[in-house]
Amino acid sequence: GSVWRSIKASISITDQTNTEYQTSEVLIHHDGTNANFTEYGIIYSGAAAIGEAYVKYQSGSILLQFKNTQGGTIDGFATVHAIMHPVAS
């Protein structure tokens, strides 16, 4: 199997309750212990962003997660499209 060092992900979030949408991209890389990331290009259809991405490195896996920052409960789902870059030989 391949070992991945970095990922570029496009994230699309839908809040079905409020009929709002959010799209962003995330760049992620890890050093074998920690993951670093930046989220950018955030666009949303409501008065404020639905939430934000966050990343952690755990047991050899990069975990990309999404945190609702609107305060209320959302009925949502996410779609992630990723390009993964292997560790250079």
Side-chain angles (χ1 to χ4, degrees):
S2 298
V3 177
W4 306 103
R5 176 70 63 208
S6 61
I7 298 170
K8 179 180 181 180
S10 174
I11 303 169
S12 178
I13 303 292
T14 301
D15 176 351
Q16 295 174 312
T17 301
N18 299 307
T19 316
E20 293 181 358
Y21 310 94
Q22 178 176 321
T23 304
S24 65
E25 288 197 339
V26 181
L27 290 176
I28 308 163
H29 76 126
H30 73 88
D31 60 10
T33 304
N34 299 298
N36 298 294
F37 74 100
T38 187
E39 183 178 21
Y40 61 95
I42 303 165
I43 55 174
Y44 47 87
S45 62
I50 297 170
E52 60 191 18
Y54 64 99
V55 174
K56 60 183 175 177
Y57 188 76
Q58 180 177 314
S59 302
S61 296
I62 294 174
L63 304 176
L64 171 58
Q65 299 175 319
F66 187 82
K67 179 180 179 184
N68 171 8
T69 59
Q70 287 191 342
T73 300
I74 64 169
D75 177 16
F77 64 91
T79 303
V80 177
H81 296 278
I83 300 170
M84 300 192 291
H85 305 278
V87 172
S89 311

